[in-house]
């Protein structure tokens, strides 16, 4: 004999397991794209979307790309909204994301350099190097060909190297 609360309890356990495994990687990804306050808000939006969309996930083995696709869309939506608002109020479309609370000098330099990169290149660096996703999953998440991922990685590494050299962290 099954009961509705048994199924609800089982789903809660599964969701708790997903949160335990993926909460931190998702927040770190979002944090690398946005400042801390916005990262908290966007991360909550992501998990709401996951809870709503989980019943429609057809391939549980592809959870990570599905999750990071939701995260990417949420970050993109937030940035688009802010860029539009910024252009509307000030007439300037360039917005630099900085977090003055970063205490470590090297970390602050890296965050500064990452935030100076164009969003598309920053996103690929974060997914590939910091989230350790393969090129194919980066391509799925960004909805671009694998070759485009590789070219963006190449450009992002070059830009990162140039920015680091300008700050005195290289030859």
């Amino acid at each position: 004999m099954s009961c509705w609360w048994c199924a609800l309890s089982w789903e809660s356990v599964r969701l708790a397991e997903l949160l335990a495994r993926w909460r931190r990687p998702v927040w770190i990804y979002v944090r690398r794209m946005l400042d801390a306050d916005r990262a908290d808000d966007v991360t909550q939006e992501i998990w709401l979307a996951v809870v709503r969309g989980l019943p429609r996930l057809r391939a549980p083995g592809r959870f990570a790309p599905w999750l990071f696709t939701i995260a990417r869309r949420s970050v993109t939506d937030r940035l688009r909204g802010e860029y539009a608002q910024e252009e509307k109020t000030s007439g300037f479309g360039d917005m630099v994301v900085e977090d003055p609370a970063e205490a470590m000098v090297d970390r602050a330099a890296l965050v500064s350099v990452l935030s100076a990169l164009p969003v598309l290149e920053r996103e690929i660096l974060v997914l590939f190097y910091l989230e350790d996703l393969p090129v194919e999953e980066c391509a799925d998440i960004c909805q671009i060909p694998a070759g485009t991922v590789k070219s963006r990685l190449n450009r992002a590494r070059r830009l990162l190297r140039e920015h680091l050299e300008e700050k005195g962290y290289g030859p």
Side-chain angles (χ1 to χ4, degrees), residues 31-50:
R31 175 60 184 90
R32 288 176 174 148
M33 299 301 290
L34 303 169
D35 63 56
D37 291 335
R38 294 186 300 167
D40 289 340
D41 291 343
V42 171
T43 301
Q44 287 180 0
E45 294 168 10
I46 291 166
W47 286 109
L48 283 172
V50 167

Side-chain angles (χ1 to χ4, degrees), residues 104-156:
M104 303 295 285
V105 173
D106 289 342
R107 179 165 170 74
L110 181 60
V111 168
S112 173
V113 170
L114 278 175
S115 69
L117 293 178
V119 173
L120 296 176
E121 283 74 13
R122 181 180 356 148
E123 176 181 52
I124 291 296
L125 279 176
V126 169
L127 289 171
F128 186 77
Y129 287 109
L130 303 177
E131 296 302 330
D132 292 324
L133 294 174
V135 169
E136 294 76 22
E137 288 186 10
C138 292
D140 286 346
I141 292 166
C142 296
Q143 297 178 340
I144 56 177
T148 304
V149 170
K150 292 175 185 177
S151 65
R152 283 187 190 168
L153 276 171
N154 188 32
R155 182 171 190 273

